[in-house]
PDB file of all heavy atoms in Angstrom:
ATOM      1  N   PHE M  85      25.386 -12.436  13.330  1.00 71.00           N
ATOM      2  CA  PHE M  85      25.707 -13.571  14.198  1.00 71.00           C
ATOM      3  C   PHE M  85      24.379 -14.203  14.715  1.00 71.00           C
ATOM      4  O   PHE M  85      23.369 -13.639  14.517  1.00 71.00           O
ATOM      5  CB  PHE M  85      26.590 -13.212  15.351  1.00 71.00           C
ATOM      6  CG  PHE M  85      26.149 -12.019  16.163  1.00 71.00           C
ATOM      7  CD1 PHE M  85      25.189 -12.160  17.146  1.00 71.00           C
ATOM      8  CD2 PHE M  85      26.610 -10.759  15.835  1.00 71.00           C
ATOM      9  CE1 PHE M  85      24.758 -11.074  17.883  1.00 71.00           C
ATOM     10  CE2 PHE M  85      26.192  -9.696  16.557  1.00 71.00           C
ATOM     11  CZ  PHE M  85      25.272  -9.824  17.515  1.00 71.00           C
ATOM     12  N   GLY M  86      24.491 -15.406  15.253  1.00 67.00           N
ATOM     13  CA  GLY M  86      23.317 -16.070  15.752  1.00 67.00           C
ATOM     14  C   GLY M  86      22.298 -16.276  14.683  1.00 67.00           C
ATOM     15  O   GLY M  86      22.555 -16.718  13.585  1.00 67.00           O
ATOM     16  N   SER M  87      21.033 -15.932  14.975  1.00 68.00           N
ATOM     17  CA  SER M  87      19.903 -16.222  14.078  1.00 68.00           C
ATOM     18  C   SER M  87      19.951 -15.305  12.824  1.00 68.00           C
ATOM     19  O   SER M  87      19.546 -15.761  11.741  1.00 68.00           O
ATOM     20  CB  SER M  87      18.599 -16.030  14.746  1.00 68.00           C
ATOM     21  OG  SER M  87      18.461 -14.698  15.239  1.00 68.00           O
ATOM     22  N   ALA M  88      20.573 -14.110  12.855  1.00 74.00           N
ATOM     23  CA  ALA M  88      20.654 -13.334  11.735  1.00 74.00           C
ATOM     24  C   ALA M  88      21.567 -14.006  10.676  1.00 74.00           C
ATOM     25  O   ALA M  88      21.303 -13.966   9.508  1.00 74.00           O
ATOM     26  CB  ALA M  88      21.275 -11.879  12.077  1.00 74.00           C
ATOM     27  N   GLN M  89      22.637 -14.649  11.183  1.00 77.00           N
ATOM     28  CA  GLN M  89      23.476 -15.440  10.287  1.00 77.00           C
ATOM     29  C   GLN M  89      22.716 -16.610   9.623  1.00 77.00           C
ATOM     30  O   GLN M  89      22.871 -16.824   8.469  1.00 77.00           O
ATOM     31  CB  GLN M  89      24.677 -15.946  11.086  1.00 77.00           C
ATOM     32  CG  GLN M  89      25.830 -16.505  10.275  1.00 77.00           C
ATOM     33  CD  GLN M  89      26.990 -16.915  11.134  1.00 77.00           C
ATOM     34  OE1 GLN M  89      27.099 -18.137  11.430  1.00 77.00           O
ATOM     35  NE2 GLN M  89      27.728 -15.971  11.593  1.00 77.00           N
ATOM     36  N   LEU M  90      21.877 -17.206  10.378  1.00 74.00           N
ATOM     37  CA  LEU M  90      21.047 -18.322   9.842  1.00 74.00           C
ATOM     38  C   LEU M  90      20.068 -17.804   8.746  1.00 74.00           C
ATOM     39  O   LEU M  90      19.892 -18.425   7.721  1.00 74.00           O
ATOM     40  CB  LEU M  90      20.285 -18.983  10.948  1.00 74.00           C
ATOM     41  CG  LEU M  90      21.070 -19.864  11.883  1.00 74.00           C
ATOM     42  CD1 LEU M  90      20.201 -20.436  12.962  1.00 74.00           C
ATOM     43  CD2 LEU M  90      21.720 -20.974  11.177  1.00 74.00           C
ATOM     44  N   VAL M  91      19.473 -16.573   8.967  1.00 77.00           N
ATOM     45  CA  VAL M  91      18.577 -16.036   8.007  1.00 77.00           C
ATOM     46  C   VAL M  91      19.343 -15.759   6.732  1.00 77.00           C
ATOM     47  O   VAL M  91      18.877 -16.086   5.635  1.00 77.00           O
ATOM     48  CB  VAL M  91      17.916 -14.805   8.521  1.00 77.00           C
ATOM     49  CG1 VAL M  91      17.180 -14.043   7.422  1.00 77.00           C
ATOM     50  CG2 VAL M  91      16.998 -15.086   9.679  1.00 77.00           C
ATOM     51  N   ARG M  94      20.095 -19.097   4.877  1.00 76.00           N
ATOM     52  CA  ARG M  94      18.856 -19.635   4.271  1.00 76.00           C
ATOM     53  C   ARG M  94      18.380 -18.770   3.093  1.00 76.00           C
ATOM     54  O   ARG M  94      17.633 -19.214   2.290  1.00 76.00           O
ATOM     55  CB  ARG M  94      17.797 -19.787   5.345  1.00 76.00           C
ATOM     56  CG  ARG M  94      18.100 -20.814   6.414  1.00 76.00           C
ATOM     57  CD  ARG M  94      17.167 -20.784   7.578  1.00 76.00           C
ATOM     58  NE  ARG M  94      17.555 -21.725   8.619  1.00 76.00           N
ATOM     59  CZ  ARG M  94      16.937 -21.800   9.727  1.00 76.00           C
ATOM     60  NH1 ARG M  94      15.996 -21.010  10.101  1.00 76.00           N
ATOM     61  NH2 ARG M  94      17.379 -22.744  10.651  1.00 76.00           N
ATOM     62  N   GLY M 131      24.575 -21.158  14.093  1.00 49.00           N
ATOM     63  CA  GLY M 131      23.561 -20.790  15.037  1.00 49.00           C
ATOM     64  C   GLY M 131      24.100 -20.402  16.415  1.00 49.00           C
ATOM     65  O   GLY M 131      25.170 -19.855  16.541  1.00 49.00           O
ATOM     66  N   GLY M 132      23.395 -20.758  17.450  1.00 47.00           N
ATOM     67  CA  GLY M 132      23.758 -20.381  18.762  1.00 47.00           C
ATOM     68  C   GLY M 132      22.518 -20.303  19.654  1.00 47.00           C
ATOM     69  O   GLY M 132      21.480 -20.854  19.347  1.00 47.00           O
ATOM     70  N   PRO M 133      22.575 -19.565  20.742  1.00 43.00           N
ATOM     71  CA  PRO M 133      21.439 -19.542  21.719  1.00 43.00           C
ATOM     72  C   PRO M 133      20.183 -18.921  21.078  1.00 43.00           C
ATOM     73  O   PRO M 133      19.101 -19.140  21.567  1.00 43.00           O
ATOM     74  CB  PRO M 133      21.908 -18.634  22.845  1.00 43.00           C
ATOM     75  CG  PRO M 133      23.122 -17.848  22.268  1.00 43.00           C
ATOM     76  CD  PRO M 133      23.722 -18.780  21.247  1.00 43.00           C
ATOM     77  N   ASP M 134      20.325 -18.143  20.000  1.00 51.00           N
ATOM     78  CA  ASP M 134      19.152 -17.454  19.434  1.00 51.00           C
ATOM     79  C   ASP M 134      18.715 -18.157  18.072  1.00 51.00           C
ATOM     80  O   ASP M 134      18.114 -17.636  17.191  1.00 51.00           O
ATOM     81  CB  ASP M 134      19.434 -16.054  19.036  1.00 51.00           C
ATOM     82  CG  ASP M 134      19.290 -15.120  20.326  1.00 51.00           C
ATOM     83  OD1 ASP M 134      18.635 -15.540  21.278  1.00 51.00           O
ATOM     84  OD2 ASP M 134      19.822 -13.987  20.248  1.00 51.00           O
ATOM     85  N   GLU M 135      19.121 -19.485  17.947  1.00 57.00           N
ATOM     86  CA  GLU M 135      18.845 -20.187  16.768  1.00 57.00           C
ATOM     87  C   GLU M 135      17.273 -20.120  16.485  1.00 57.00           C
ATOM     88  O   GLU M 135      16.424 -20.303  17.427  1.00 57.00           O
ATOM     89  CB  GLU M 135      19.295 -21.642  16.900  1.00 57.00           C
ATOM     90  CG  GLU M 135      19.046 -22.411  15.576  1.00 57.00           C
ATOM     91  CD  GLU M 135      19.811 -23.744  15.551  1.00 57.00           C
ATOM     92  OE1 GLU M 135      20.537 -23.985  16.482  1.00 57.00           O
ATOM     93  OE2 GLU M 135      19.487 -24.544  14.614  1.00 57.00           O
ATOM     94  N   LEU M 136      16.910 -20.012  15.214  1.00 63.00           N
ATOM     95  CA  LEU M 136      15.491 -19.819  14.920  1.00 63.00           C
ATOM     96  C   LEU M 136      14.742 -21.045  15.189  1.00 63.00           C
ATOM     97  O   LEU M 136      15.092 -22.145  14.833  1.00 63.00           O
ATOM     98  CB  LEU M 136      15.369 -19.491  13.415  1.00 63.00           C
ATOM     99  CG  LEU M 136      15.995 -18.207  13.000  1.00 63.00           C
ATOM    100  CD1 LEU M 136      15.859 -18.059  11.489  1.00 63.00           C
ATOM    101  CD2 LEU M 136      15.373 -16.994  13.681  1.00 63.00           C
ATOM    102  N   PRO M 137      13.575 -20.876  15.844  1.00 72.00           N
ATOM    103  CA  PRO M 137      12.704 -22.074  16.138  1.00 72.00           C
ATOM    104  C   PRO M 137      12.090 -22.558  14.832  1.00 72.00           C
ATOM    105  O   PRO M 137      11.831 -21.786  13.906  1.00 72.00           O
ATOM    106  CB  PRO M 137      11.658 -21.537  17.054  1.00 72.00           C
ATOM    107  CG  PRO M 137      11.606 -20.070  16.852  1.00 72.00           C
ATOM    108  CD  PRO M 137      12.972 -19.682  16.455  1.00 72.00           C
ATOM    109  N   PHE M 183       9.153 -18.773  21.359  1.00 83.00           N
ATOM    110  CA  PHE M 183       9.890 -17.526  21.447  1.00 83.00           C
ATOM    111  C   PHE M 183       9.981 -17.014  22.876  1.00 83.00           C
ATOM    112  O   PHE M 183      10.521 -15.883  23.083  1.00 83.00           O
ATOM    113  CB  PHE M 183       9.236 -16.480  20.559  1.00 83.00           C
ATOM    114  CG  PHE M 183       9.559 -16.687  19.108  1.00 83.00           C
ATOM    115  CD1 PHE M 183       8.727 -17.478  18.290  1.00 83.00           C
ATOM    116  CD2 PHE M 183      10.676 -16.104  18.490  1.00 83.00           C
ATOM    117  CE1 PHE M 183       9.001 -17.634  16.946  1.00 83.00           C
ATOM    118  CE2 PHE M 183      10.944 -16.277  17.180  1.00 83.00           C
ATOM    119  CZ  PHE M 183      10.081 -16.994  16.348  1.00 83.00           C
ATOM    120  N   GLU M 194      10.343 -10.022  19.311  1.00 80.00           N
ATOM    121  CA  GLU M 194      11.352 -11.013  19.500  1.00 80.00           C
ATOM    122  C   GLU M 194      11.714 -11.659  18.117  1.00 80.00           C
ATOM    123  O   GLU M 194      12.889 -11.851  17.853  1.00 80.00           O
ATOM    124  CB  GLU M 194      10.938 -12.123  20.455  1.00 80.00           C
ATOM    125  CG  GLU M 194      11.887 -13.220  20.724  1.00 80.00           C
ATOM    126  CD  GLU M 194      13.155 -12.736  21.389  1.00 80.00           C
ATOM    127  OE1 GLU M 194      13.221 -11.572  21.859  1.00 80.00           O
ATOM    128  OE2 GLU M 194      14.131 -13.565  21.434  1.00 80.00           O
ATOM    129  N   ALA M 195      10.690 -11.873  17.299  1.00 79.00           N
ATOM    130  CA  ALA M 195      10.947 -12.437  15.945  1.00 79.00           C
ATOM    131  C   ALA M 195      11.801 -11.512  15.177  1.00 79.00           C
ATOM    132  O   ALA M 195      12.745 -11.927  14.490  1.00 79.00           O
ATOM    133  CB  ALA M 195       9.622 -12.806  15.273  1.00 79.00           C
ATOM    134  N   ARG M 197      13.850  -9.148  16.353  1.00 69.00           N
ATOM    135  CA  ARG M 197      15.166  -9.091  16.961  1.00 69.00           C
ATOM    136  C   ARG M 197      16.060 -10.212  16.486  1.00 69.00           C
ATOM    137  O   ARG M 197      17.249 -10.060  16.228  1.00 69.00           O
ATOM    138  CB  ARG M 197      15.065  -9.144  18.484  1.00 69.00           C
ATOM    139  CG  ARG M 197      16.392  -8.927  19.196  1.00 69.00           C
ATOM    140  CD  ARG M 197      16.268  -9.187  20.699  1.00 69.00           C
ATOM    141  NE  ARG M 197      16.093 -10.611  21.014  1.00 69.00           N
ATOM    142  CZ  ARG M 197      17.123 -11.482  21.023  1.00 69.00           C
ATOM    143  NH1 ARG M 197      18.325 -11.115  20.803  1.00 69.00           N
ATOM    144  NH2 ARG M 197      16.869 -12.758  21.331  1.00 69.00           N
ATOM    145  N   ARG M 198      15.458 -11.414  16.317  1.00 68.00           N
ATOM    146  CA  ARG M 198      16.252 -12.550  15.886  1.00 68.00           C
ATOM    147  C   ARG M 198      16.348 -12.612  14.365  1.00 68.00           C
ATOM    148  O   ARG M 198      17.060 -13.466  13.859  1.00 68.00           O
ATOM    149  CB  ARG M 198      15.539 -13.820  16.356  1.00 68.00           C
ATOM    150  CG  ARG M 198      15.471 -13.999  17.869  1.00 68.00           C
ATOM    151  CD  ARG M 198      14.993 -15.399  18.213  1.00 68.00           C
ATOM    152  NE  ARG M 198      14.673 -15.598  19.632  1.00 68.00           N
ATOM    153  CZ  ARG M 198      14.431 -16.727  20.186  1.00 68.00           C
ATOM    154  NH1 ARG M 198      14.457 -17.852  19.430  1.00 68.00           N
ATOM    155  NH2 ARG M 198      14.162 -16.807  21.480  1.00 68.00           N
ATOM    156  N   GLY M 199      15.815 -11.650  13.675  1.00 65.00           N
ATOM    157  CA  GLY M 199      15.879 -11.685  12.224  1.00 65.00           C
ATOM    158  C   GLY M 199      15.079 -12.732  11.526  1.00 65.00           C
ATOM    159  O   GLY M 199      15.364 -13.148  10.419  1.00 65.00           O
ATOM    160  N   TYR M 200      13.971 -13.044  12.165  1.00 71.00           N
ATOM    161  CA  TYR M 200      13.154 -14.149  11.624  1.00 71.00           C
ATOM    162  C   TYR M 200      12.311 -13.603  10.345  1.00 71.00           C
ATOM    163  O   TYR M 200      11.847 -12.546  10.376  1.00 71.00           O
ATOM    164  CB  TYR M 200      12.154 -14.684  12.664  1.00 71.00           C
ATOM    165  CG  TYR M 200      11.529 -15.986  12.257  1.00 71.00           C
ATOM    166  CD1 TYR M 200      12.288 -17.175  12.369  1.00 71.00           C
ATOM    167  CD2 TYR M 200      10.233 -16.101  11.774  1.00 71.00           C
ATOM    168  CE1 TYR M 200      11.796 -18.420  12.016  1.00 71.00           C
ATOM    169  CE2 TYR M 200       9.726 -17.328  11.370  1.00 71.00           C
ATOM    170  CZ  TYR M 200      10.523 -18.471  11.466  1.00 71.00           C
ATOM    171  OH  TYR M 200      10.022 -19.666  11.105  1.00 71.00           O
TER     172      TYR M 200
END
Side-chain angles (χ1 to χ4, degrees):
F85 48 85
S87 58
Q89 193 177 99
L90 288 176
V91 171
R94 293 168 182 175
D134 280 343
E135 185 168 349
L136 297 176
F183 283 90
E194 180 65 11
R197 185 188 72 80
R198 297 190 189 190
Y200 197 75

